Amino acid sequence: MMTSSSNPTSSSNVLRQQIEKWKFSIAQNPVVWLIGGLLAVRLLFILFSPVDLIADESYYWDWSRRLDYGYYSKPPMIAWVNWFSTSLLGNNEFAVRLPAALLGTLGLVFVYQLGARMFSHRVGLVSMILLALTPGQTALSFLMTIDAPFLFFWAGSLYGFWMLTSTEQTGWKWPVFTAIMIGLGILSKQTMLGFFPLAGLFLLITPERRAMWGSARVWLTALASLAFLMPVILWNMQHDWITLEHTASHFSENSTTWMTQFARFGEFFLGQLGVVNPVLWFAIAFTLIAAVRQFPKLTAAERYLLCFSGVPLVAIFALSATRRLEPNWPAACYPAGVILTTAVFFGRSTLTNVFRNRDVIFARSWKTGLVCTLLTYAAITIVPNSPLAGSPVDITCRLRGWKQLAHEFDELTKNEPALKRSKNPLIISTAGRDITSALAFYLPKNPLIPHWSQDDAGVLCQYDLWDKPNLKARSDAIVITQVDPKLPNSLNNSFSTWTSLGTIEVELGGGRKREYEVYRTSHAPLPESTQVENVAVKPQMKVVQ
């Protein structure tokens, strides 16, 4: 008599044993504990952070309320991620910043995997720790800007393309993974397109990989990843290629004196020491210089890391001498640079005579990184409430005052008929995208606030691409402007009466403050009693004709 091989009890035992093996493996894996602990710290910091969203965060959040395939200055990923998170958790600071912590922390897993595959488990683990202990990585895992998804997908692409081009790897697992990572990276930030020339350079300068220039797997991966760009291209075709125009402006001719160029270069250089940490940055720099000098003996792994760190880093520094660049521009260069430097620290690299005492430099690198990371958290939590508030060392000025301004605006205008009589009152801003998006986020019910730029200014931000409300159909509105404003003629001439309700301001310390003026506007003259209580202002007198 034959017995059935599909015994339910036996299958259940096998599954239970497999689960126990997974539990044991996770419990013994330091990467899991490190990533879990780091993520918990970052989430708790976001939850109890005393600072507001920076203007970029609220600006990108406002994009998420009008989902599209493209936006003025960036691809759509940041808006999509914001929409997903806030749809689940509501419009609050934690919901906006949660994806930054998740993406910034989980992206370190790719750094570990790449270091472990290339050199050793120890190199991968320490590379992950050193990168996590940089102020830049700490900040970009706290602030929800375009760099959060971009750097996650960049790290995934670094790992995927290395596995794809490894001679022992066959099949379509890694081509599919790499294409998705690069494609989603392209939808996050235009910089992702730089991956292609760097990958091509690696194949070109590595003899054992050069034949892959003719590999169908490599070319299909590239084409599949570029297909992700099609929605952005179609959107730009419908909007006069505005994103391409904005991106090109970063590289347009910028005539300056040599003194200005030198000052910009120095400013950018000092910024990089702060983004990474001084000891680790110089360790990376010396490692990359040694890699260039000893290039003929470099392994494929070392050439790969040099292509994705040293090459773009030199290009960005050269550009920094011609124009002012943001400190986050080289952020994608550092994962590969940290892995190669860590391999040198532990003697797993072919590079020799890089450091006199590599153990001392390694110890100083992680200790300085730890101190700088703690100082970053301290600067966000302690400095705003100290005598240093508003001083040059106060990095939180961009993160403070927005919520209070929205509260003051609400207190100033909540009894205005223009806001009380309508379920969708009209609030207009002419004071720039920063205050526009901040009010939209922090005011009750998150109103949609149109922004009016000067009529001849062209397209300066995403607000200029969105449709403006029909002012003829609105009897009145509340307008927030800069103090002593120069109003756009099209807005100024749309209302017959302008009455100043007063100014709102927030002190940031050190003599720095945010200050705006608020007006009530209407098509008809105000009742006489109201005119007595408020001083009527005619902004026409302030408009530059």
Side-chain angles (χ1 to χ4, degrees), residues 68-90:
D68 212 331
Y69 294 113
Y71 295 90
Y72 164 71
S73 58
K74 301 294 183 293
M77 181 62 70
I78 184 72
W80 296 354
V81 174
N82 264 314
W83 173 84
F84 181 77
S85 181
T86 55
S87 295
L88 294 176
L89 302 175

Side-chain angles (χ1 to χ4, degrees), residues 30 36 63 77 127 141 234 277 290 315 330 357 363 383 458 472 478 508 517 539:
W63 291 9
M77 181 62 70
S127 297
S141 298
L234 293 174
N277 95 46
N357 191 327
V383 171
K472 294 181 179 179
I478 299 295
L508 301 176
E517 194 161 2

Side-chain angles (χ1 to χ4, degrees), residues 519-531:
Y519 291 91
R520 177 205 296 124
T521 67
S522 64
H523 289 298
L526 293 171
E528 185 176 349
S529 59
T530 307
Q531 291 182 6

